[in-house]
Amino acid sequence: DASHAMNEFVTEAQRNGAYPIVHGVFGGKTGLRDDTMPPSLDAGETSLGVVDACQARFTTEELQGWLAQDSIVLFTGSKFYQAPPFCGAVILPPVIVEKLRSCSRSVVPEDGEEE
């Protein structure tokens, strides 16, 4: 289980003034998975947790748990679901959605305009 190393990484990154984005892979073809998926700390203010659940090898309860810890969840439709090629989704927790909605304007200049 890599959760101890993940926690040490986040702590050290924050100590150095960085904003860690931590990616955890939940399940794969081999069946290996970590017990803990990375959370977004302080509602995403001090770190961002991303759960790679792309092959849908999870339960509804696990998905709800990741969203409750403010993790962003990556998902792809597989052939099992008869999904089209290269389709996918990013599932955002409510706290992150609210932060995005509260942005007053884009931080990316349009058409080369200066900020």
Side-chain angles (χ1 to χ4, degrees), residues 59-104:
T59 65
T60 303
E61 292 79 21
E62 288 166 325
L63 174 61
Q64 292 301 323
W66 300 328
L67 295 174
Q69 68 181 20
D70 300 327
S71 298
I72 291 175
V73 181
L74 306 178
F75 176 82
T76 56
S78 70
K79 293 175 190 166
F80 177 80
Y81 297 110
Q82 298 179 340
F86 308 110
C87 72
V90 178
I91 305 168
L92 301 174
V95 70
I96 303 294
V97 170
E98 287 307 313
K99 286 176 187 287
L100 292 171
R101 284 186 178 148
S102 69
C103 293
S104 60

